Amino acid sequence: MIITDTNSLAALIRKTRKEQNLTQTQLAAVCGVGLRFIVDLEKGKETCQIGKALKVIYLLGIELDAK
């Protein structure tokens, strides 16, 4: 999947979380972030903190490839 904007990243995160049978609350706890952050991230909010977003991506096992 090619990520072109915050909405496509949000969709990937949401899809991966659901495939792993995690609720947003569970993902927030595992990642050490608030539920509101996960909700905003999955909605594609453009102002989400990149460090926290990368932590969520890593803990979900999503691999990013920069070209």
Side-chain angles (χ1 to χ4, degrees), residues 12-56:
L12 176 61
I13 291 169
R14 185 174 41 257
K15 176 182 170 283
T16 304
R17 173 184 60 78
K18 289 182 176 185
E19 288 174 350
Q20 295 180 17
N21 294 316
L22 292 170
T23 65
Q24 290 178 323
T25 302
Q26 290 169 326
L27 180 59
V30 167
C31 295
V33 299
L35 175 59
R36 171 57 43 200
F37 178 80
I38 298 297
V39 169
D40 288 346
L41 185 60
E42 288 191 359
K43 285 185 177 180
K45 183 176 178 182
E46 293 184 4
T47 58
C48 282
Q49 295 178 22
I50 189 70
K52 287 182 181 180
L54 289 172
K55 185 175 183 178
V56 171

